[in-house]
């Protein structure tokens, strides 16, 4: 949705709506753009942020945001105790 909203802008202005940073902050997706963006862009970013706090970060199934071992993360029941070290095994 964000890409579609950017494509709707005049070609000479599109570059100003670049995403300059994506990160997870307290278990939630956070997106920063060069400019503040249009209402449609902000709505798409907000929708993605809301989805990120209810979607398991391991498998994409519905999950729960909680503090786990000092870090906030969203995990489903299957991955509740999953850690990054599990992928090394």
């Amino acid at each position: 949705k964000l890409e579609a909203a950017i494509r709707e802008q005049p070609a000479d202005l599109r570059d100003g709506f670049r995403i300059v940073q994506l990160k997870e902050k307290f278990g939630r997706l956070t997106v920063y753009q060069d400019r503040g963006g249009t209402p449609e862009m902000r709505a798409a970013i907000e929708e993605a942020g809301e989805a990120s706090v209810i979607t398991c970060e391991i498998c994409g199934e519905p999950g729960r945001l909680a503090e786990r071992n000092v870090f906030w993360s969203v995990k489903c029941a299957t991955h509740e105790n999953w850690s990054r070290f599990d992928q090394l095994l």
Side-chain angles (χ1 to χ4, degrees), residues 15-28:
D15 194 47
F17 294 108
R18 281 182 299 177
I19 293 172
V20 295
Q21 186 177 32
L22 286 172
K23 67 181 181 177
E24 178 186 340
K25 190 172 184 179
F26 300 109
R28 181 185 173 95

Side-chain angles (χ1 to χ4, degrees), residues 53-66:
V53 296
I54 58 170
T55 305
C56 178
E57 62 187 49
I58 309 304
C59 67
E61 292 296 318
R64 181 179 66 87
L65 176 65

Side-chain angles (χ1 to χ4, degrees), residues 32-64:
Y32 299 95
Q33 289 181 281
D34 271 355
R35 297 184 194 170
T38 66
E40 294 80 15
M41 291 176 202
R42 289 190 297 275
I45 290 169
E46 179 62 23
E47 183 179 330
E50 290 296 319
S52 74
V53 296
I54 58 170
T55 305
C56 178
E57 62 187 49
I58 309 304
C59 67
E61 292 296 318
R64 181 179 66 87

